[in-house]
Amino acid sequence: MAMNAVLVADLPNLGQIAESSSAFQTAVGCDGNREIARGVSQSSKFLVIGHRGRGMNALSSPDRRLKIVKENTVLSFNEAGRFPVDFVEFDVQVTKDGCPIIFHDIFILSEEGGIMAERRVTELSLEEFLSYGPQKDSNKAGKLLHRKTKDGQLFNWKVENDDHLCTLEDAFTRVNSRLGFNIELKFDDHRSYSDDELLQALQATLQVVFESAKGRPIIFSTFHPDAAHLARNLQNRYPVFFLTNGGNETYGDERRNSLEQAIEHCLAGRLHGIVSEVRGVFRHPSLIPRIKESNLSLLTYGQLNNVAEAVYMQHLMGIDGVIVDLVEEITEAVSDLGGDAAAETALRPKFSHRELSFLLKLIPELVHKP
């Protein structure tokens, strides 16, 4: 389905929607009188979110668990739903003809006529995008997908269980309705966007969400500071979180360079929470009380979230949830945290900054691992 950009006024009841969503309240345990973000941070539920569904595809890794199912597909989302995850996280970009699609990489690679062709996803039409990989019509052959790692290595994108590429609308209509969606609004770190470009991409995405979400819990997140503010200003139905690398990398935009800057950015834009690379939180545990006092929620992502001990440490620190690749293993580990969730939260030990720093020194690899 190709979609043209729509005006904010065309979105259903925009500006007249209650500040909180009842479905999201149910998922995170807040009541109707609280802000959505406070609902996450004050919930007794420690959230587990499946990264790109059942987990990202790390084609260079020897770990077969990272190549079981094609990431960011309906199959991957439903496979994650076989385990007790609360949300699945995925990346949304918008094709040149205005359709929100689900794909992580900024460029799509395929061998065409013996030459490796690299095309920007947002410069493809929906029909062109869907021509890659397995096809819905078994009589058609799609273009073979390849993938380039950060260090420039090229791999055939082969997994044990493949699936065709999908649109955001596909996810809403074909994914288990109990699963919440953490929709990452994806933009290229290496290019500048005009306000109109951001607006058109967000409007197209919001149109699908408002038409299709029904009672499904939704969280928006993005690394793009201006897109985060715009997503917050365009609607007040669903929470908007700011994604940050937590100081592990340096960017031209200072707002992206530290957990402290992320907090300030959220407060300035009335955002609901932060999704930080986990090492940024481990390096600065004293910021957790400040985040909580600011009524912001805190989720984390990163490879360390595939380590049960690291996840348990975050549970003790009061972090609200984790985005993970090893869905089966981490959901099993989280289930061992205790019985009654409310009682578990009440009994959770409270640590001072000094005590947390001491605990983290006992596991230095969690802080210093590149």
Side-chain angles (χ1 to χ4, degrees):
M1 178 190 71
M3 290 174 46
N4 296 321
V6 295
L7 297 174
V8 178
D10 294 332
L11 296 175
N13 299 321
L14 200 59
Q16 295 157 3
I17 298 162
E19 181 68 24
S20 57
S21 162
S22 59
F24 190 78
Q25 294 163 15
T26 301
V28 299
C30 65
D31 62 45
N33 297 320
R34 294 178 183 165
E35 273 280 341
I36 295 172
R38 293 183 64 205
V40 177
S41 62
Q42 296 182 10
S43 170
S44 60
K45 184 79 166 70
F46 183 75
L47 300 178
V48 178
I49 300 171
H51 186 210
R52 306 182 201 171
R54 174 69 189 262
M56 67 177 287
N57 294 154
L59 302 179
S60 61
S61 171
D63 191 339
R64 66 168 289 273
R65 295 175 298 178
L66 300 177
K67 290 171 276 193
I68 291 177
V69 62
K70 175 71 72 60
E71 69 177 35
N72 274 340
T73 61
V74 169
L75 177 61
S76 185
F77 304 146
N78 283 326
E79 280 292 301
R82 293 174 49 233
F83 306 97
V85 297
D86 303 285
F87 288 77
V88 287
E89 181 271 353
F90 53 79
D91 311 88
V92 168
Q93 302 182 63
V94 178
T95 61
K96 70 176 182 181
D97 49 351
C99 183
I101 51 89
I102 298 177
F103 197 74
H104 173 270
D105 300 354
I106 297 299
F107 294 92
I108 196 165
L109 282 78
S110 183
E111 189 173 335
E112 300 177 10
I115 300 174
M116 192 63 63
E118 182 177 72
R119 302 184 67 186
R120 185 179 290 273
V121 171
T122 54
E123 292 177 356
L124 300 173
S125 67
L126 175 61
E127 182 179 6
E128 289 172 322
F129 172 72
L130 295 178
S131 71
Y132 291 87
Q135 299 294 289
K136 290 183 179 179
D137 184 347
S138 59
N139 295 318
K140 292 184 178 180
K143 300 173 185 175
L144 295 178
L145 280 171
H146 296 260
R147 197 173 211 182
K148 185 184 293 185
T149 60
K150 286 186 177 181
D151 61 4
Q153 294 184 75
L154 278 173
F155 291 88
N156 292 332
W157 201 334
K158 291 183 178 179
V159 293
E160 295 178 19
N161 299 284
D162 213 338
D163 194 20
H164 49 77
L165 302 180
C166 67
T167 66
L168 179 59
E169 185 180 37
D170 288 335
F172 277 114
T173 57
R174 298 174 55 212
V175 173
N176 188 326
S177 60
R178 83 158 184 86
L179 286 173
F181 285 172
N182 175 186
I183 300 174
E184 180 182 339
L185 306 166
K186 187 81 173 183
F187 298 96
D188 186 352
D189 288 341
H190 303 292
R191 61 156 296 195
S192 297
Y193 292 85
S194 68
D195 291 343
D196 284 345
E197 288 176 305
L198 294 176
L199 183 62
Q200 288 182 16
L202 294 178
Q203 286 176 328
T205 301
L206 286 171
Q207 179 175 328
V208 174
V209 172
F210 275 89
E211 290 175 353
S212 306
K214 299 183 172 66
R216 190 187 298 269
I218 304 291
I219 300 171
F220 289 114
S221 63
T222 183
F223 283 103
H224 196 294
D226 296 328
H229 279 189
L230 187 56
R232 178 67 175 95
N233 291 333
L234 283 173
Q235 58 84 44
N236 60 5
R237 180 179 293 182
Y238 302 111
V240 179
F241 283 51
F242 184 48
L243 272 158
T244 177
N245 200 259
N248 295 306
E249 296 181 43
T250 302
Y251 299 89
D253 191 325
E254 286 296 325
R255 295 172 293 181
R256 298 188 59 183
N257 286 336
S258 70
L259 196 51
E260 295 95 329
Q261 287 287 344
I263 296 169
E264 295 302 323
H265 184 63
C266 286
L267 294 177
R270 300 178 301 112
L271 305 182
H272 299 93
I274 295 169
V275 185
S276 175
E277 210 285 337
V278 61
R279 289 171 297 156
V281 178
F282 280 156
R283 289 192 182 104
H284 303 285
S286 63
L287 291 176
I288 296 176
R290 182 181 170 196
I291 291 170
K292 298 299 180 178
E293 290 163 4
S294 301
N295 289 330
L296 296 171
S297 300
L298 179 59
L299 306 173
T300 67
Y301 72 94
Q303 291 184 7
L304 284 174
N305 282 353
N306 296 318
V307 179
E309 292 80 0
V311 170
Y312 184 63
M313 176 62 74
Q314 294 176 71
H315 172 70
L316 294 178
M317 295 166 74
I319 290 168
D320 300 304
V322 290
I323 300 173
V324 308
D325 294 298
L326 302 185
V327 167
E328 180 175 5
E329 291 80 355
I330 298 303
T331 52
E332 181 178 354
V334 168
S335 72
D336 293 336
L337 291 178
D340 180 76
E344 164 67 17
T345 299
L347 294 173
R348 182 189 299 166
K350 305 297 183 183
F351 294 108
S352 68
H353 170 49
R354 183 176 180 181
E355 290 168 330
L356 282 173
S357 297
F358 175 76
L359 285 172
L360 290 172
K361 286 176 182 177
L362 298 178
I363 43 175
E365 66 273 17
L366 295 184
V367 179
H368 300 297
K369 183 178 177 180

